[in-house]
Every structure is written in structure tokens, then in C-alpha cells.
């Protein structure tokens, strides 16, 4: 693979999820899949495509584990990839079930999804009172805006609880149950209870005891990714969440997650993946890149001072060509640093270790959970991880000269080689122009 000299690294993609509808998301996903088969897609070579990373076809630092670390520590959205991997594995396991088990959970069709979404929207509009009706009820016991209003107690057929004592006992039982469910040993009961609460809040009926396959696993996924305040709650709109719960009320078929998976996959393919490639192209940490920029600016200024002095002196014009070397080194260093690269590290095809890699032992790396078939209840928060405090204590000099490791992925090295050549060409042209201008200036003969 040879990249053209006009190559441009992927542009940063800001989060714009709310302004994209479902049709546009699916169109973007299809375009991403089709363009992955071409030589280049928005600055991303085919060898570094999203599908190759997910399928394990790349080397460090672009493996799926590296992608997961980027989402967790940089973009703070690791739940998207975790859920995507789980659903992909779940789809394979569901397809491998015997046919007599698959028929118990029918496919959730697009027509059903659209009908449920339309029904939910209609119910929401019916609950809103018109201004005229709201004015009539204002100040009465039936005023829904009043603080004392209770939709159940305003119903003449509402039956209150048997006694406050029974209600107190029920609350105590619920409290004890929530405490008992905190352990992983009682996870099945905890998942089923939490899933039931989520469905009750949505006004739906939960079926914890059913012959449908993987119903317990669906309870666990609801508790981890869908419920409000879940450890790895997905960034879903209220409509997407309600539609998903409607689908899961009926079936455990993977198609029930169709809209949610489309949202998650669009975020991964069209936002996170380009940003991950852009971030990985940088071979130095932030202190090293700032140091390289400062070094480039300093070299340019010293070369400028030198050529000015030579111009003002009695020295021949040929001496003014000597600062060309300084301009060339300084400008090339500055251009590379502007794109997040350190020329010294690139000369060895090295990169700095990430902060979480510096203090991670081999055992800790193996314990990282990225397999969708084994989800834990832990959140993606990392503020309490030991490496955070250890890295903060490092002085700036040590950060600039942190440990390095060889870049194993050939495609990434080629991208960096192209950027390096672009920096050299740009530096040569600019340096030649500057030196040419000063060579054309007459002698100052001041000393």
C-alpha cells in the first residue's frame, strides 16, 4: 500500500448524534461498509478500517483492545463498543440455537417497530391537555399541574393499600432485597427485579418466567445498558429506549435491538473510529509534542537571527545559505508536531506508551473485559484506577522522555511515513523561499 503525498489524516468528528435521524444513520453505516473496501476512506486506509479492527486483523496499537482503551480513557464512551460486541456475539449464539427454540422468539420486524413508535408518540400526545381544558381544571382537584395531584387517587375507582403497616413492610422487603442483590451470586434475581422495575416505569409488563431463549441474559443487559442510572448506560433517546423496551416485552430475538444497534454502530463507525485513527497517528504524548513544537520554533528563530546577521555583515551571499539547514530542521519539526508527531520517535518507528499502559502489569491487561459474552456490572469509570495518581506525580521532564515501544502495525507506520515526507517537502519549500529572499537582499556592510 502506497499513500499519495496529498494524503490528509482523518478530520476530528464532533458528536452530532442528536441531529441525525435513523435513515441517515443507516445510510452512513452502509457507506462506511462499502467505502472500507476501497483504498482510502476519509483518510483511513483499508488496512485500518473499522471492520478489520473489530475482526482482529490489525496489530498494536490499533487492536480492538486499544480501541476499547481509547473509548474508555479518551472518548469516555466504551459502553458503545461493549454493547456492540455483545450484540454481535448474541446474534451468532441465537442463530446457532435449534429451530424449535428460535420460533419461541419471533423476529421483531421493521413494521412492528414503526407501529410501536407511532403508538408511543400518539399516547404521549393524548396525555397532553389542550390549553382550554387545562384552564377549566385549573385550581381544582383535577388540575394535573397542582403539586397535590395524583393520577391514581383522582380516579374514583382507585383502591388504596390495605394499611400503612403493610406498605412499610413492603418497602423494608424491597430495601433488604436491593442490598442482597448487590452480590454477583444473586445476579439472576437482581437482574430480573431490576428489569421488572424498568418495565413498570415504562408502563409495560415484564415476563421474567418464560420459555423464550436467553430471557435471563436480556434481563442482565437491561440492567447494565438500558435502565436509568445503569453502570454502562447507553446514550439513547427516550423514544429509542421506549421502543426497545416494547420490543423486549414481546421477544428476545436479536432484531429487537435493531434501532439501538444502528445508533451504536453509527457512533462507532462514523465518529469514534475516525477519531481513534487520528489519535493513534500521534506517536508522542502531549508533553512530548509541545516540547517538539517549542524545539521547532526555537530552531527557526535561531536560524532567522543567523541569516539576518549574515545579511547585515560583509560576508558573501553564499554564507546566507547555511541557515537553510536550521530552517529546514525547525520547519519540518514544527509541521510534524502540528500533526501530533515527533520526528525523533518516528525515526525509530517508536511511540510513547499510554499512561494506562505504563503502570499495567501483564496480569492486569489480561483481566480487561472486552468479550461481549462476559459482562460485569462495573462501570467504565477510571478515576480510581492506580495509574491516574501515579501518572500525575510524574514530573514534566519524565513525561517528555517516557518509555517507548515499537509500532507493530505496518499500515500505521506507512501513514506516519507519508506525513513525515509531507513535512520534509513543506519544510524544504518554505526554507528555500526564506533563504532566497534573504540572498536577494543587498549587503548591509554594518560590520
Amino acid at each position: 500500500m502506497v499513500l499519495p503525498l496529498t494524503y490528509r489524516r482523518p478530520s476530528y468528528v464532533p458528536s452530532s448524534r442528536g441531529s441525525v435521524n435513523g435513515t441517515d444513520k443507516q445510510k452512513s453505516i452502509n457507506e462506511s461498509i462499502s467505502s472500507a473496501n476501497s483504498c482510502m476512506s476519509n483518510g483511513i486506509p483499508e488496512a485500518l478500517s473499522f471492520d478489520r479492527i473489530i475482526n482482529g486483523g490489525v496489530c498494536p496499537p490499533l487492536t480492538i483492545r486499544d480501541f476499547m482503551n481509547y473509548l474508555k480513557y479518551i472518548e469516555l464512551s466504551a459502553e458503545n463498543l461493549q454493547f456492540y460486541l455483545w450484540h454481535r456475539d448474541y446474534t451468532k449464539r441465537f442463530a446457532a440455537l435449534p429451530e424449535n427454540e428460535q420460533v419461541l422468539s419471533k423476529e421483531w420486524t421493521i413494521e412492528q417497530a414503526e407501529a410501536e413508535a407511532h403508538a408511543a408518540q400518539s399516547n404521549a400526545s393524548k396525555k397532553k391537555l389542550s390549553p382550554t381544558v387545562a384552564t377549566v381544571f385549573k385550581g381544582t382537584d383535577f388540575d394535573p399541574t397542582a403539586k397535590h395531584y395524583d393520577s391514581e387517587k383522582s380516579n374514583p375507582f382507585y383502591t388504596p393499600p390495605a394499611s400503612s403497616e403493610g406498605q412499610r413492610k413492603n418497602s423494608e422487603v424491597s430495601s433488604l432485597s436491593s442490598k442482597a442483590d448487590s452480590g454477583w451470586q444473586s445476579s439472576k434475581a437482581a437482574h430480573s427485579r431490576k428489569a421488572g422495575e424498568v418495565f413498570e416505569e415504562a408502563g409495560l409488563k415484564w415476563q421474567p418466567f418464560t420459555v423464550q431463549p436467553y430471557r435471563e441474559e436480556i434481563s442482565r443487559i437491561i440492567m447494565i445498558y438500558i435502565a436509568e442510572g445503569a453502570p454502562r448506560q447507553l446514550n439513547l433517546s427516550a423514544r429509542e429506549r421506549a421502543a426497545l423496551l416494547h420490543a423486549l416485552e414481546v421477544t428476545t430475538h436479536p432484531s429487537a435491538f435493531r434501532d439501538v444497534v444502528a445508533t451504536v454502530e453509527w457512533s462507532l463507525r462514523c465518529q469514534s473510529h475516525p477519531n481513534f485513527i487520528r489519535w493513534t497517528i500521534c506517536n508522542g504524548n502531549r508533553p512530548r509534542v509541545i516540547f517538539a513544537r517549542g524545539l521547532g520554533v526555537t530552531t527557526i528563530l535561531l536560524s532567522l537571527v543567523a541569516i539576518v546577521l549574515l545579511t547585515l555583515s560583509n560576508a558573501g551571499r553564499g554564507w546566507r545559505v547555511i541557515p537553510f539547514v536550521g530552517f529546514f530542521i525547525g520547519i519540518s519539526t514544527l509541521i510534524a508536531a502540528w500533526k501530533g508527531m515527533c520526528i525523533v520517535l518516528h525515526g525509530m518507528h517508536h511511540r510513547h506508551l499510554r499512561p494506562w499502559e505504563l503502570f499495567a502489569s501483564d496480569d492486569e491487561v489480561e483481566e480487561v473485559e472486552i468479550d461481549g459474552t462476559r459482562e460485569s456490572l462495573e462501570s467504565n469509570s477510571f478515576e480510581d484506577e492506580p495509574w491516574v495518581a501515579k501518572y500525575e506525580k510524574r514530573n514534566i521532564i519524565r513525561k517528555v522522555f517516557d518509555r517507548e515501544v515499537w509500532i507493530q502495525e505496518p499500515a500505521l507506520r506507512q501513514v506516519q511515513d507519508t506525513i513525515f515526507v509531507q513535512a520534509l517537502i513543506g519544510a524544504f519549500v518554505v526554507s528555500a523561499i526564506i533563504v532566497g529572499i534573504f540572498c536577494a537582499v543587498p549587503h548591509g556592510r554594518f560590520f
Side-chain angles (χ1 to χ4, degrees):
M1 179 187 69
V2 178
L3 300 179
L5 290 178
T6 56
Y7 169 80
R8 295 183 63 183
R9 62 175 179 161
S11 302
Y12 177 77
V13 183
S15 177
S16 57
R17 173 186 169 278
S19 60
V20 183
N21 58 38
T23 305
D24 292 338
K25 288 178 183 177
Q26 191 60 50
K27 182 179 178 181
S28 300
I29 292 173
N30 295 336
E31 290 177 352
S32 174
I33 296 174
S34 60
S35 62
N37 299 323
S38 62
C39 295
M40 189 72 62
S41 172
N42 298 323
I44 303 176
E46 179 187 353
L48 304 180
S49 65
F50 175 80
D51 294 300
R52 284 183 63 89
I53 292 176
I54 295 298
N55 295 327
V58 293
C59 301
L62 286 158
T63 63
I64 189 172
R65 188 182 300 278
D66 295 312
F67 192 20
M68 182 72 75
N69 287 333
Y70 166 79
L71 293 174
K72 180 177 181 180
Y73 299 122
I74 304 299
E75 197 168 281
L76 309 180
S77 59
E79 61 276 357
N80 289 333
L81 183 56
Q82 291 161 347
F83 178 81
Y84 179 81
L85 292 175
W86 167 82
H87 184 266
R88 192 176 69 154
D89 179 78
Y90 180 74
T91 302
K92 293 179 180 178
R93 288 186 284 119
F94 194 94
L97 288 174
E99 186 176 354
N100 61 340
E101 293 187 29
Q102 292 188 31
V103 297
L104 298 175
S105 290
K106 297 293 185 179
E107 180 181 358
W108 188 253
T109 62
I110 298 178
E111 291 74 14
Q112 286 177 300
E114 292 177 350
E116 289 292 347
H118 180 71
Q121 189 173 2
S122 300
N123 293 335
S125 61
K126 289 179 181 179
K127 291 181 180 179
K128 296 181 180 179
L129 292 176
S130 63
T132 306
V133 176
T135 304
V136 173
F137 285 129
K138 188 174 183 180
T140 67
D141 293 336
F142 300 96
D143 184 6
T145 62
K147 294 182 179 180
H148 65 273
Y149 178 80
D150 191 326
S151 60
E152 290 183 345
K153 293 184 179 180
S154 61
N155 186 351
F157 302 102
Y158 171 74
T159 303
S163 64
S164 59
E165 180 68 18
Q167 187 176 1
R168 183 183 64 82
K169 289 182 179 180
N170 289 336
S171 62
E172 290 178 355
V173 171
S174 300
S175 176
L176 292 174
S177 175
S178 62
K179 293 179 180 178
D181 291 338
S182 60
W184 185 252
Q185 298 299 327
S186 57
S187 59
K188 291 184 179 180
H191 297 154
S192 181
R193 177 183 60 82
K194 185 64 177 180
E197 293 176 358
V198 173
F199 273 75
E200 287 179 4
E201 292 174 0
L204 304 173
K205 289 184 178 181
W206 176 237
Q207 302 175 12
F209 305 106
T210 178
V211 293
Q212 290 181 336
Y214 299 123
R215 177 57 74 177
E216 291 181 356
E217 183 172 350
I218 294 299
S219 303
R220 178 161 56 94
I221 293 303
I222 291 174
M223 183 177 179
I224 297 173
Y225 293 105
I226 310 302
E228 292 289 345
R232 300 177 180 179
Q233 182 179 353
L234 296 173
N235 185 20
L236 303 176
S237 66
R239 182 176 181 179
E240 289 173 329
R241 183 171 175 270
L244 174 60
L245 293 177
H246 273 286
L248 295 179
E249 181 188 20
V250 178
T251 181
T252 59
H253 195 278
S255 59
F257 295 93
R258 182 187 295 107
D259 293 338
V260 173
V261 170
T263 298
V264 170
E265 185 175 359
W266 178 84
S267 178
L268 289 172
R269 284 183 179 273
C270 304
Q271 291 182 353
S272 300
H273 176 242
N275 292 341
F276 171 60
I277 300 299
R278 176 186 174 90
W279 177 79
T280 310
I281 289 174
C282 304
N283 59 3
N285 56 25
R286 181 171 178 78
R288 181 61 171 259
V289 172
I290 294 176
F291 175 78
R293 291 175 182 174
L295 192 62
V297 172
T298 302
T299 306
I300 294 172
L301 292 178
L302 291 177
S303 302
L304 185 62
V305 171
I307 199 170
V308 169
L309 292 176
L310 289 172
T311 303
L312 297 177
S313 68
N314 292 321
R317 295 178 185 270
W319 290 94
R320 303 180 194 178
V321 180
I322 296 177
F324 174 87
V325 178
F327 280 118
F328 180 75
I329 295 175
I331 295 174
S332 60
T333 301
L334 190 61
I335 293 176
W338 173 53
K339 297 187 177 183
M341 285 180 52
C342 173
I343 288 182
V344 177
L345 290 175
H346 174 71
M348 301 176 289
H349 276 140
H350 281 190
R351 68 173 179 87
H352 272 152
L353 288 174
R354 312 301 181 189
W356 51 87
E357 295 175 325
L358 285 169
F359 306 99
S361 63
D362 295 337
D363 294 337
E364 289 174 339
V365 172
E366 291 301 322
E367 291 174 1
V368 174
E369 199 70 61
I370 65 173
D371 187 358
T373 61
R374 297 179 297 169
E375 293 292 346
S376 70
L377 289 176
E378 295 180 359
S379 67
N380 292 318
S381 176
F382 63 89
E383 289 79 3
D384 296 332
E385 292 187 10
W387 68 264
V388 177
K390 291 180 181 179
Y391 190 74
E392 288 295 330
K393 293 179 180 178
R394 287 197 162 206
N395 58 63
I396 189 66
I397 302 300
R398 194 174 183 184
K399 289 181 180 179
V400 170
F401 299 99
D402 257 338
R403 287 167 52 196
E404 306 166 11
V405 66
W406 183 61
I407 297 175
Q408 301 180 35
E409 175 54 45
L412 179 59
R413 295 200 303 268
Q414 207 156 22
V415 169
Q416 293 176 338
D417 288 340
T418 304
I419 294 176
F420 176 68
V421 172
Q422 291 175 341
L424 294 181
I425 295 175
F428 181 86
V429 173
V430 175
S431 300
I433 293 174
I434 294 175
V435 173
I437 292 174
F438 275 95
C439 286
V441 175
H443 291 283
R445 302 187 186 280
F446 289 100
F447 52 89

